[in-house]
Amino acid sequence: MTLLMLATLLCGAGMIGAALVALLTRQTATAVLAAGLLSLFASVLFVLLAAPDVAMTEAAIGSGLTTFLFFYVLGRIRREDKK
């Protein structure tokens, strides 16, 4: 088995693990972080599959912006509940 195949399998296993954590956890923050990690694994997988433009987009939008927006909205909702 080549190194590329091994890295791809490890990335896929990490994606499955992060998806399971995101689905099965009871804490919202943990689920959001696991979803961001899933997206980060996807961007690494895109680099391994020789698609750097897709990888950069996935890392910027999927991992970065979406995770930030989830936490921002979660903070706004919690502040509204305290009022």
Side-chain angles (χ1 to χ4, degrees):
M1 192 175 335
T2 65
L3 185 61
L4 180 62
M5 287 174 59
L6 182 63
T8 303
L9 286 173
L10 285 174
C11 224
M15 288 173 70
I16 291 170
L20 287 174
V21 169
L23 288 173
L24 299 176
T25 189
R26 304 289 285 166
Q27 290 90 14
T28 307
T30 305
V32 170
L33 286 175
L37 182 64
L38 172 68
S39 189
L40 191 62
F41 275 127
S43 65
V44 170
L45 187 61
F46 286 133
V47 168
L48 291 174
L49 295 174
D53 52 342
V54 179
M56 287 180 5
T57 303
E58 180 67 28
I61 304 297
S63 294
L65 185 63
T66 305
T67 305
F68 170 75
L69 283 175
F70 274 133
F71 278 118
Y72 177 75
V73 170
L74 190 62
R76 293 287 305 247
I77 289 171
R78 288 184 179 162
R79 269 188 257 135
E80 291 294 323
D81 286 345
K82 290 181 181 179
K83 287 183 180 181

